[in-house]
Amino acid sequence: MHVTMREVALRAGVSPRTVSNVVNDFALVAPETRARVRQAIEELGYRPNPIAKSLRSGRSGFIMLALPELSISYFAELSSLVIAEARRCSYTVIIEQTDGDPERERQLIERDARNPFVDGLLFSPLALNADQLRASSAEVPIVLLGEHGAVGIHDHVGIDNVGAARAAVEHLIELGRLRIAAIGHQDAASNETSQFRSQGYREALEAAGRRVEPDLLASAPSYHRDDGASAMARLLDLADPPDAVFCYNDLLAIGAMRTLAERGRSVPEDVAVIGFDDSEEGRYRSPSLSTIAPDKRAIAAAAMARLVGRMNGDDSPPASQAVPFRLEARESTLSVARTASF
Amino acid sequence: MHVTMREVALRAGVSPRTVSNVVNDFALVAPETRARVRQAIEELGYRPNPIAKSLRSGRSGFIMLALPELSISYFAELSSLVIAEARRCSYTVIIEQTDGDPERERQLIERDARNPFVDGLLFSPLALNADQLRASSAEVPIVLLGEHGAVGIHDHVGIDNVGAARAAVEHLIELGRLRIAAIGHQDAASNETSQFRSQGYREALEAAGRRVEPDLLASAPSYHRDDGASAMARLLDLADPPDAVFCYNDLLAIGAMRTLAERGRSVPEDVAVIGFDDSEEGRYRSPSLSTIAPDKRAIAAAAMARLVGRMNGDDSPPASQAVPFRLEARESTLSVARTASF
DNA sequence: CTGAAAGCGCTTACAG
DNA sequence: CTGAAAGCGCTTACAG
């Protein structure tokens, strides 16, 4: 159906081998041979068939980015950066959504990670824990995104979740808040991110000599806006409601703020709110949302660099790379006056 | 490197042909032959190589979704739906971001649409106009997303942009607003979406016997939050500022609302704001954002259905499919009291 | 119902 | 510097 390399070779009066050499900028092809081949390519409108190339070379030029959901803004923003970074490295990105479904996540490391169509896998697991991740029989390199306990088996790139959560809660403590709640806890031993953030929350409170009150640790089935809204509603219904809340992501925080607005509580006066992720959305709310800002660009860059290294044969032991984060204190925890320069 | 079909055939004592038949659920394979083959597959842990399959069959099972930017929430939400829908149709999605760059968009219809790796292309163009789109020498089916003038050459699925824009502005007129501005106009003849929305804006004003004031038609270089914020600032600096504004997408509206908050104007009392896209983000703001809500699920479903049809050989003439939209009147145009039931 | 054989369009040791 | 040839792992008319 297509013009083939053979036809180009025929027209240029050379062998396919030489055409291949020219197309791939290989070896020392005699300048005039190269010119002849180039012209034949031009005239025939030849385009190499990447599938045939993949079959022979064993590399497709595709990487898979697997994440819970693209409609969660953190993942959308991260994907955008990963795709741009991959492009820079001459890779094309296949996106897979797991919806945090354990079955789909298992398929990823068992099936997709052995699919010759993908040269590497960037995976942000939600449901699988360290042991399950460890069991992977992957044939392609995998770099995990986010923090996980799967140390020593796969590479991973992420921020220090415990430390970041601690920083968020310390910020609320420094502001003089007395009853600090958290939204986003999940019991399932599987979601390690939630575990780490809860741990940071506890550590910060304990370091300040505070009691951790189970009532104030609100769980959320998933990390969408409506989960935050209903969790906040439950917290407000407590006999002694919180005056500050640390949400495990920005969407939860935004849902919480919506509930606060509906109930006529003002932020930050009545309740200070801090999120996690530094989504664009939070930056533009009124009041703007204080948050933990992972360096997403650095995550995308480091993850791609690691993956590219692996795909090129680097077989050093799996490593964890911690990427920096910042605390972005904005209007939802500070008084409006203090950030008037926004 | 992998277990091959040939090895399975050897072990099962059949020819590769038969293994292929079993793997693809083809033809009438004798039950016991099938069982033998199945067992050999099991024992050897055989997995068909999809690249080899693609090379022979000419189909990869991949479609490409090309859009301006994943960090624009409308596209993130739409992508999420497209990926889910594609999965249902047994296709995997490759995502490409164009950043609205004409060169990249041209590459898409000239290079990617001839790449055997993709079976079909779902494309949301931003920079190319009808004529440029028409010039495509695609070898795979293309379905355009959004409304475009490229009627008759490619399929497309979208909402009636002119009608939707008109509905948004009529809504503001009905609320008694007198100076209605618009944010998002673009001069470049290329971005047809902007043209259509400006046209709807004008039509609504003219139908109500109003003058269209050039000062009130604010342009935006792109459709991000900060573009909306600065456009709103310019409008407020007018000698006679608007009391309502129709933004060409939700992000612009959210930027505009941020500026209004900073300048101490209340929404909707001082200025009513309506957006376009119905992003989750707008729904959760306070005040919640009135908007035009395209049926995104229907867009994703219709576009995939069309594309799948084409990939399966449907060669009926290119068609335009209009998907319904709703006007979502929320707090940013109505008084808060009226939507207390939120 | 199943086999032998060709071929999808490339790449790559092996020669020269 | 370039050619002839094998082969990546499948599918698919062609036979039987």
Side-chain angles (χ1 to χ4, degrees):
Chain A
M1 61 160 80
H2 232 192
V3 178
T4 165
M5 181 173 273
R6 206 170 143 277
E7 301 176 55
V8 174
L10 248 40
R11 177 165 195 127
V14 299
S15 76
R17 159 82 212 228
T18 302
V19 178
S20 178
N21 282 346
V22 171
V23 167
N24 295 299
D25 286 327
F26 265 3
L28 298 275
V29 180
E32 59 171 295
T33 310
R34 180 186 305 276
R36 244 188 11 258
V37 171
R38 285 254 168 79
Q39 189 177 352
I41 288 177
E42 183 76 18
E43 290 170 358
L44 262 36
Y46 168 70
R47 308 165 155 278
N49 181 327
I51 296 197
K53 180 171 175 154
S54 298
L55 181 57
R56 274 296 340 213
S57 66
R59 316 183 118 219
S60 68
F62 288 102
I63 63 167
M64 181 174 278
L65 173 61
L67 37 76
E69 270 181 80
L70 221 36
S71 53
I72 291 183
S73 39
Y74 173 74
F75 292 115
E77 292 175 20
L78 186 63
S79 299
S80 181
L81 294 167
V82 165
I83 293 173
E85 188 65 25
R87 186 188 175 75
R88 216 163 290 133
C89 305
S90 304
Y91 281 92
T92 303
V93 177
I94 298 167
I95 293 202
E96 204 70 83
Q97 297 184 115
T98 63
D99 294 324
D101 175 14
E103 189 41 50
R104 302 253 289 266
E105 295 201 349
R106 208 165 294 125
Q107 272 190 10
L108 265 166
I109 56 172
E110 277 168 15
R111 202 192 52 190
D112 297 295
R114 309 162 127 263
N115 185 332
F117 257 126
V118 321
D119 289 345
L121 179 58
L122 249 35
F123 180 23
S124 178
L126 200 58
L128 300 189
N129 63 28
D131 288 336
Q132 295 166 311
L133 253 16
R134 215 177 301 274
S136 151
S137 58
E139 288 190 347
V140 303
I142 298 183
V143 174
L144 297 178
L145 265 24
E147 191 177 350
H148 299 279
V151 178
I153 177 76
H154 292 303
D155 291 312
H156 74 85
V157 173
I159 66 168
D160 171 10
N161 266 304
V162 177
R166 217 186 308 121
V169 176
E170 281 164 359
H171 173 62
L172 298 173
I173 292 173
E174 281 164 17
L175 292 169
R177 301 294 167 158
L178 298 174
R179 290 184 58 73
I180 301 175
I183 294 180
H185 186 69
Q186 297 189 335
D187 278 326
S190 55
N191 183 347
E192 303 189 318
T193 298
S194 146
Q195 310 295 316
F196 286 128
R197 295 186 188 172
S198 291
Q199 186 185 334
Y201 167 73
R202 282 197 205 88
E203 287 183 9
L205 290 183
E206 284 162 4
R210 309 259 185 111
R211 282 220 345 265
V212 175
E213 296 187 36
D215 275 356
L216 293 182
L217 185 60
S219 59
S222 65
Y223 284 15
H224 295 102
R225 299 173 186 84
D226 51 348
D227 299 303
S230 51
M232 190 71 238
R234 292 198 308 276
L235 289 172
L236 289 179
D237 288 341
L238 290 176
D240 195 0
D243 62 359
V245 56
F246 162 48
C247 300
Y248 292 7
N249 80 354
D250 278 5
L251 293 188
L252 290 171
I254 281 156
M257 285 167 83
R258 174 74 211 179
T259 295
L260 288 164
E262 282 169 16
R263 301 266 190 122
R265 311 296 175 96
S266 59
V267 176
E269 292 76 5
D270 297 330
V271 182
V273 178
I274 187 166
F276 201 115
D277 283 351
D278 188 29
S279 61
E280 276 275 328
E281 176 171 355
R283 219 171 303 162
Y284 271 85
R285 283 201 50 108
S286 304
S288 56
L289 178 64
S290 296
T291 193
I292 294 293
D295 188 339
K296 292 182 206 122
R297 201 169 292 276
I299 293 176
M304 262 318 284
R306 200 95 197 88
L307 194 62
V308 167
R310 293 300 185 190
M311 293 187 294
N312 289 332
D314 171 4
D315 60 352
S316 55
S320 291
Q321 185 164 349
V323 157
F325 64 87
R326 291 188 328 277
L327 173 75
E328 285 288 345
R330 303 204 185 102
E331 295 165 2
S332 69
T333 54
L334 305 178
S335 71
V336 175
R338 283 213 243 164
T339 53
S341 68
F342 177 92
Chain B
M1 59 160 83
H2 232 192
V3 178
T4 166
M5 181 174 273
R6 204 170 144 280
E7 302 176 56
V8 175
L10 249 40
R11 177 164 196 126
V14 299
S15 76
R17 159 80 210 230
T18 302
V19 177
S20 178
N21 282 345
V22 171
V23 168
N24 296 298
D25 285 327
F26 266 1
L28 297 275
V29 180
E32 59 170 295
T33 309
R34 180 185 305 274
R36 251 198 353 267
V37 172
R38 285 253 167 79
Q39 188 177 353
I41 288 177
E42 184 76 19
E43 290 170 0
L44 263 35
Y46 168 72
R47 307 164 157 279
N49 181 328
I51 296 197
K53 180 171 174 154
S54 297
L55 182 57
R56 274 293 342 209
S57 67
R59 316 184 117 218
S60 67
F62 288 103
I63 62 168
M64 180 174 277
L65 173 60
L67 37 76
E69 269 182 82
L70 222 36
S71 53
I72 292 183
S73 39
Y74 173 74
F75 291 115
E77 293 175 19
L78 185 62
S79 300
S80 181
L81 294 167
V82 166
I83 293 172
E85 187 66 25
R87 187 188 175 76
R88 217 163 290 132
C89 305
S90 305
Y91 280 93
T92 303
V93 177
I94 298 166
I95 293 201
E96 204 70 82
Q97 298 184 114
T98 64
D99 294 324
D101 175 14
E103 189 42 49
R104 302 253 289 267
E105 295 201 349
R106 207 166 295 124
Q107 274 189 11
L108 265 166
I109 56 173
E110 277 168 14
R111 201 192 53 191
D112 298 295
R114 308 161 128 264
N115 185 332
F117 257 127
V118 321
D119 289 345
L121 179 59
L122 249 34
F123 180 23
S124 178
L126 200 57
L128 300 188
N129 63 28
D131 289 336
Q132 295 166 311
L133 253 17
R134 214 178 301 275
S136 151
S137 58
E139 287 189 349
V140 303
I142 298 182
V143 174
L144 298 176
L145 265 24
E147 191 178 350
H148 297 279
V151 178
I153 178 76
H154 292 304
D155 290 312
H156 73 86
V157 173
I159 66 167
D160 171 10
N161 265 305
V162 178
R166 216 186 308 125
V169 177
E170 281 164 359
H171 173 63
L172 297 174
I173 292 174
E174 279 163 18
L175 292 169
R177 300 294 166 158
L178 297 174
R179 290 183 59 73
I180 301 173
I183 293 179
H185 186 68
Q186 297 190 334
D187 278 326
S190 54
N191 183 345
E192 303 189 319
T193 299
S194 146
Q195 309 296 316
F196 285 128
R197 295 188 188 171
S198 291
Q199 185 186 336
Y201 167 72
R202 282 197 205 91
E203 286 183 8
L205 289 182
E206 285 163 4
R210 309 258 185 112
R211 282 221 345 263
V212 176
E213 295 186 36
D215 276 356
L216 294 182
L217 185 60
S219 58
S222 65
Y223 284 14
H224 295 102
R225 298 174 187 81
D226 52 347
D227 299 304
S230 51
M232 190 72 237
R234 292 198 309 275
L235 288 172
L236 289 179
D237 287 341
L238 290 176
D240 195 0
D243 61 359
V245 55
F246 162 49
C247 300
Y248 292 6
N249 80 353
D250 278 5
L251 293 187
L252 290 171
I254 281 156
M257 285 168 81
R258 174 75 211 178
T259 295
L260 288 165
E262 282 170 17
R263 302 267 189 120
R265 310 298 173 96
S266 60
V267 176
E269 292 75 6
D270 297 330
V271 181
V273 178
I274 186 166
F276 201 114
D277 283 350
D278 188 29
S279 60
E280 275 276 327
E281 176 171 357
R283 220 171 304 163
Y284 271 85
R285 283 199 52 107
S286 304
S288 56
L289 179 63
S290 296
T291 194
I292 294 293
D295 187 338
K296 293 182 204 121
R297 201 169 293 276
I299 292 175
M304 263 317 284
R306 200 93 198 90
L307 195 62
V308 167
R310 294 298 185 192
M311 293 186 294
N312 288 332
D314 171 3
D315 61 351
S316 54
S320 292
Q321 186 164 348
V323 158
F325 64 87
R326 290 188 330 277
L327 173 75
E328 285 288 344
R330 302 203 185 101
E331 295 166 1
S332 70
T333 54
L334 305 179
S335 70
V336 175
R338 283 213 242 163
T339 52
S341 67
F342 179 91

